[in-house]
Amino acid sequence: MKKILVTAFEPFEGREVNASAEVLWALPDRIGAFGVDRQLLPVVFGKAAGQVNPEGYDFIFLLGEAGRDSVTPETTARNLRSARIPDNGGNQPREEKILPDGPDEYHTPVPVRRIVEQMAAEGYEISVSDDAGAFVCNDTFYLVGTRSRVPVDFIHVPCGRKESQARTVLRFMELALS
């Protein structure tokens, strides 16, 4: 059976909940022909990506939360760490490269724009993002994406609990996997 890995993050900045984890646990055990494995990651630069092992998976979806109005699949991760707050390990890098000799950007092979256009036409609250930020979400997307042989995409979900978020993420995944 084909398998995908879906990750999300633990709470950070003193919060009790991370919206990405709520979406992670709301997903079904199968999406189309794919079995779903779930993994919760620490909000720590480098450590989160280090815990993601792409071996044995056909696709990896990384989830994180952001102060946005809609679900936003990402197109690009930058080779940049620059934190406005410390991560859960107390790290607060400023304007640092993730990999000194790495590419400037990682671009997902997922046709994000086409999928988002289709979903918007279907009535979903979703928009494209070309900027995964410079915190642990971007760090993880960049490191996992540049080191993986399978497609990797990152999806930000809005902070706060909304029932529709899991349905929107699930629909995005269905279309990306088809």
Side-chain angles (χ1 to χ4, degrees):
M1 172 185 2
K2 293 183 175 186
K3 293 188 85 169
I4 64 170
L5 175 63
V6 184
T7 71
F9 287 102
E10 67 188 8
F12 66 102
E13 199 176 21
R15 296 189 195 116
E16 292 183 18
V17 175
N18 187 311
S20 70
E22 289 185 330
V23 170
L24 176 71
W25 303 122
L27 292 172
D29 292 333
R30 293 186 58 77
I31 299 175
F34 294 84
V36 176
D37 283 351
R38 296 169 182 83
Q39 184 176 4
L40 195 62
L41 301 175
V43 179
V44 178
F45 283 99
K47 186 175 180 182
Q51 290 186 6
V52 177
N53 180 358
E55 294 301 314
Y57 294 104
D58 298 286
F59 211 109
I60 299 171
F61 291 101
L62 309 166
L63 306 177
E65 75 172 16
R68 299 178 182 174
D69 294 331
S70 64
V71 171
T72 51
E74 301 291 343
T75 63
T76 307
R78 295 175 293 150
N79 189 0
L80 175 67
R81 289 177 174 156
S82 192
R84 66 171 180 77
I85 59 169
D87 68 11
N88 286 354
N91 307 299
Q92 192 172 4
R94 300 283 188 171
E95 302 297 322
E96 295 176 8
K97 283 192 164 216
I98 297 168
L99 296 176
D101 296 325
D104 289 339
E105 296 177 329
Y106 166 78
H107 298 277
T108 182
V110 176
V112 171
R113 291 186 194 292
R114 180 185 58 76
I115 294 170
V116 167
E117 286 174 12
Q118 178 179 341
M119 289 181 64
E122 294 173 4
Y124 287 90
E125 288 185 38
I126 190 165
S127 57
V128 174
S129 173
D130 297 318
D131 185 356
F135 197 53
V136 179
C137 291
N138 177 74
D139 188 74
T140 305
F141 185 24
Y142 180 85
L143 287 169
V144 174
T146 57
R147 294 176 179 169
S148 178
R149 285 183 235 155
V150 300
V152 176
D153 197 23
F154 197 101
I155 305 168
H156 272 112
V157 298
C159 299
R161 187 178 177 129
K162 292 183 181 177
E163 287 296 317
S164 63
Q165 289 184 70
R167 287 190 304 275
T168 302
V169 169
L170 175 58
R171 180 68 176 140
F172 181 86
M173 290 178 180
E174 289 170 344
L175 292 170
L177 294 168
S178 63

